[in-house]
Amino acid sequence: MAAQLLDGKVMAAQLREEIAQRVAALKAEKGITPGLAVILVGDDPASQIYVKNKGIGCQQTGMHSETIRMPAETTQAALEDEIRRLNADPAIHGILVQLPLPAHLDEAAALAVIAPEKDVDGFHIQNAGCLLNGLPGVVACTPSGALEMIRRTGVDLNGKEAVVVGRSNIVGKPMALLLLQENCTVTVCHSRTRDLAAHTRQADILVAAVGRPRFITADMVKPGAIVIDVGINRVDGKVVGDVDFDAVREVAGWITPVPGGVGRMTITMLLANTLQAAERSAL
Ligand code: NDP
């Protein structure tokens, strides 16, 4: 039997409705409109699309949004000054620096300048440290969106075998930590993993964050598994995931499509993080 589809469009729409209601309540009760500022350096076409979609998300949920466009030749000092200005702006509750930055800029140094309470991407080292220590903080949007999709299967996660393929700071590692918090037994695989398929075949929950088109094939998947495809790859002008969707859906119990899966949830979690930052600012 084909896997049940974990539809990011449907889940994101439900969540955005809830967010819009909370935004309206915050405005009515405290006079605060959550504000998101996105800094876009240069003119990378994919980044332009992501930034546009973030603005649309803010509009849909009643939030204020600003896009600060800076030229590709922006200096590190000018970028950091802009971040500091936004740190001090009370109308802005979330700051996002759209990645990747042009090669001459230091991403880690720029992210470190963002006030941790306004770091709605959850990439600041303080927020990453909070996740590691199980303390409250801002959680990176893609893994928190993926976890929300896993939760919505209704499966009891306690003691489940979870395998995360990919160990990046923005997806793989935080994903593994979130699954650990859910009491899964977590294995993290990467490019040096020996016999990857032997690991993935044990997974009740398999998260692919590799960046290689259709890399996870049906023979690598345990029957009935929850398969979360984080990958976004462009092949012949088409967007495909890291999972060979058509074949894997015949084996898995649940599966996320690409497009229309985790990507939809990512921007929604960014909106949720911005709302939470605004709610905290009112305390
Ligand atoms: P990175 O390139 O930073 O990390 C990729 C990871 O995959 C690395 O840990 C790497 O291992 C591992 N890997 C590469 N080749 C293999 C292999 N042959 N076997 C096992 N592991 C391998 O990518 P990101 O984590 O940033 O992104 C992953 C994917 O998710 C990309 O397609 C990206 O576009 C997508 N993405 C989607 C988002 C969304 O909103 N849906 C948001 C962010 C990313 P090693 O560490 O050893 O090099």
Side-chain angles (χ1 to χ4, degrees):
M1 202 173 71
Q4 291 183 51
L5 201 66
L6 293 168
D7 189 330
K9 282 187 239 168
V10 171
M11 291 182 190
Q14 285 167 353
L15 277 169
R16 283 183 194 205
E17 197 121 312
E18 289 164 28
I19 291 168
Q21 284 168 12
R22 277 168 59 193
V23 169
L26 191 64
K27 278 187 200 173
E29 290 160 21
K30 309 270 183 181
I32 294 173
T33 301
L36 173 69
V38 179
I39 302 178
L40 177 60
V41 184
D43 46 19
D44 176 59
S47 293
Q48 306 260 9
I49 296 171
Y50 293 139
V51 168
K52 190 172 151 221
N53 288 337
K54 286 164 188 170
I56 292 170
C58 285
Q59 221 175 10
Q60 278 177 349
T61 49
M63 295 193 199
H64 164 69
S65 77
E66 285 176 27
T67 303
I68 294 103
R69 292 173 194 278
M70 303 182 81
E73 57 277 12
T74 297
T75 63
Q76 186 77 22
L79 173 60
E80 293 185 9
D81 280 349
E82 189 55 34
I83 296 170
R84 284 192 196 92
R85 184 185 71 76
L86 294 165
N87 282 346
D89 184 344
I92 295 300
H93 304 94
I95 302 169
L96 183 151
V97 176
Q98 184 64 46
L99 303 179
L101 289 170
H104 69 282
L105 294 172
D106 182 339
E107 280 182 4
L111 296 178
V113 177
I114 301 175
E117 66 277 11
K118 293 193 178 187
D119 165 44
V120 282
D121 246 345
F123 295 165
H124 192 287
I125 211 148
Q126 181 173 313
N127 284 317
C130 286
L131 180 61
L132 186 67
N133 285 279
L135 297 170
V138 185
V139 180
C141 303
T142 300
S144 66
L147 180 64
E148 187 61 33
M149 297 182 98
I150 294 168
R151 282 202 184 115
R152 284 177 184 231
T153 61
V155 169
D156 178 9
L157 302 183
N158 282 290
K160 290 288 187 299
E161 296 289 335
V163 174
V164 180
V165 189
R167 57 173 166 177
S168 71
N169 290 338
I170 63 169
V171 188
K173 282 183 201 161
M175 186 77 244
L177 289 167
L178 287 172
L179 289 163
L180 198 56
Q181 275 181 6
E182 298 291 326
N183 299 323
C184 294
T185 302
V186 182
T187 304
V188 183
C189 299
H190 46 79
S191 66
R192 311 287 174 89
T193 297
R194 278 181 287 164
D195 198 356
L196 178 66
H199 293 284
T200 59
R201 273 196 289 268
Q202 301 299 316
D204 301 306
I205 301 155
L206 177 60
V207 181
V210 189
R212 290 176 173 235
R214 304 186 185 104
F215 180 74
I216 302 291
T217 48
D219 59 314
M220 297 169 79
V221 175
K222 179 177 176 177
I226 301 171
V227 178
I228 304 292
D229 189 353
V230 179
I232 297 178
N233 309 287
R234 284 179 178 78
V235 178
D236 302 330
K238 227 180 114 190
V239 174
V240 300
D242 288 346
V243 173
D244 183 2
F245 182 84
D246 290 336
V248 170
R249 76 177 308 183
E250 299 302 323
V251 181
W254 290 266
I255 190 167
T256 64
V258 177
V262 176
R264 287 288 180 131
M265 292 295 278
T266 295
I267 296 183
T268 304
M269 299 322 274
L270 174 72
L271 301 172
N273 283 349
T274 305
L275 169 62
Q276 272 164 25
E279 287 173 340
R280 273 197 302 271
S281 77
L283 296 177

